[in-house]
Amino acid sequence: MKQILTLSLIGVAAAATAGVAPARLQSLTVGEMKENARPIARVENADLHDLPMIEELPEGVTDALYARDSYFFAVDGWGQMYSSRDYGMATYVAVSDTEVYIRDPFAGRPTGTWLKGERDGDKVSVTFPQKMLVETYPDWEQDPEGDLGITITDYYYAYKFTLKQGEDKSSFEIDSENPVITFTISDGELKQEGDAFIGMVGEYRMYDKDNNPYTGFNWMGFADGQLEYSKVTAKYEEAPADLTFEKWILDNQGDLTFVDMATSGEDVYIKGFIQTEYNGERIFPAIKGTLKDGKLVFNSTQYLGVDPRYDHVAYFMPGTYEEGVPSEDEWEVENIYYPASSITFAYDEANKTFTCSEGEALVISALPDRTFVILALDEPVLRWQDMSTPLVPCTPTDLMYQYWDVYEFGAVGFSLSSESEDGRLMDLSNLYYTLYIDGDEFTFYPDEYWDLEEPMTDVPYDYWDSAINAFGDEHEVLLYVQNIETIGVKAKYVNLDGEVTTSEMATLSVSGVNEVAAGEPVKTEWYDLQGRRLTAPAEGLMIRRDIDAEGNIVVRKVMTYKR
């Protein structure tokens, strides 16, 4: 099978974007724009560049984790406008006697900066505009070789927007007469008053109809309103420090992953559903259940921290589900999940297997009291696997390569099984692969692979960036090397006792490889940015793989927005 890898060709543009809604989260569409709205008021503030941009909090002001609920507008992967409710998004708020700071006010575009408000008792007034982001990047038109150091700088501001939505046309207006949004603050809650929106306006290079560049202002496609922030006070479930955890396989309708399980009397602790950070430490929060009379029962909602995959606060929740009903205009039918008082697993001691009861689900929700689903496992099964003897990775297969003369680089693709040679599931966090060019071990250096901070030789199985990609067992890597004669790939696995095992090397002769063109796709696959396959396109930034009748594959990032 031939593969055409085009992902990195748009990697620079994609790096300036951000997903606007978690692919797995269920969101409620509350309105639809008749047209893509744009602010109609002119931006005439000559001193915008002089506005301060708050990247660090003032001394003595400390932030805390908050869960954010909002109604926001953004653009999807096809450039179409949509509006949606989002719940439980993780953000940070800092409060003093006179000021309030809100980090990343746009749900669809993190800036890493703070919106500032003035506090007077239980009222907080935020005055606009405020500078939120400055981006500088090479000017490839004026300096195509990159050796002159010519750059372009773009500026992004927060403005107060008013939404004007009619039957045939909708638009946002910049409110210049009353550029203030007010919040009420009390008991760890911050709630917006009124129906205004905080919109992002960009000042950047644009082009007229004759392709002449000029500096212009434009709405960047993000507007957030009905903002509510609530302080997160929940705590992690603390597993006893002396427990010994074992690897168990979590079977989610045939999708196999590892979790870690340990017992203490009748208490059972399972971790591995998410990983997060707390006080600068990387941790794997546990959920706690009770094993009694052959049944493992989870009967409470439990806090798990911030899920970094989607930047939402996460809670484990016992749940039930019912299957979604298809309709003619839906791309994808999601099951519907409900909170439950408990979920139960029946334990088969002879086979060391836990089987979930029919109709029950293990839910990771962004809300503690109702389902806003980050992850849902329908009737999952837990199976123990013997890890006492070393696991040896399989030899990579389906090794292939293309080179593009016009771009002066190529791409290698291959398959690497997640199972060992004897059919056992491997812990993917301990599985790596190494490339060999003309017999020599290949090292990825940051000067060519700009997503890296340090050189890398052994590539983690599920590592993903703008040039190195993973789609489950399939892997694709751009190579900025000319005149290659042979390419090799070898897998490496680190066992629980630290012993390292390696596969045989797969080798391909690539001299004389030509560029291949793909035909019309006969199959399309969708993936999120972590390489997890989706059953249909989701909102926000995703990966699309088109496969033609000859087996050629084209991989593209479908961007949230483009300039």
Side-chain angles (χ1 to χ4, degrees), residues 244-255:
T244 299
F245 282 85
E246 290 186 295
K247 293 289 182 184
W248 285 66
I249 296 174
L250 175 64
D251 186 345
N252 175 31
Q253 308 293 315
D255 184 10

Side-chain angles (χ1 to χ4, degrees), residues 115 126-130 158-160 175 179-181 183 197-199:
L115 194 70
V126 181
T127 303
F128 300 90
Q130 296 193 29
Y159 274 84
K160 180 184 177 182
D175 191 342
V180 178
I181 293 179
F183 292 79
F197 286 78
I198 301 173

Side-chain angles (χ1 to χ4, degrees), residues 55-94:
E55 299 180 84
E56 295 184 1
L57 294 173
E59 185 175 352
V61 179
T62 58
D63 59 4
L65 176 64
Y66 277 67
R68 160 199 166 123
D69 300 342
S70 66
Y71 169 29
F72 69 92
F73 285 91
V75 291
D76 63 18
W78 291 268
Q80 299 299 310
M81 187 61 51
Y82 69 92
S83 57
S84 182
R85 288 281 184 183
D86 196 7
Y87 299 95
M89 187 171 184
T91 190
Y92 289 87
V93 175

Side-chain angles (χ1 to χ4, degrees), residues 481-503:
V481 181
Q482 287 77 42
N483 303 316
I484 297 175
E485 294 186 0
T486 63
I487 294 177
V489 186
K490 183 184 293 187
K492 176 186 295 185
Y493 187 74
V494 181
N495 285 271
L496 295 179
D497 60 0
E499 179 181 353
V500 178
T501 55
T502 58
S503 71

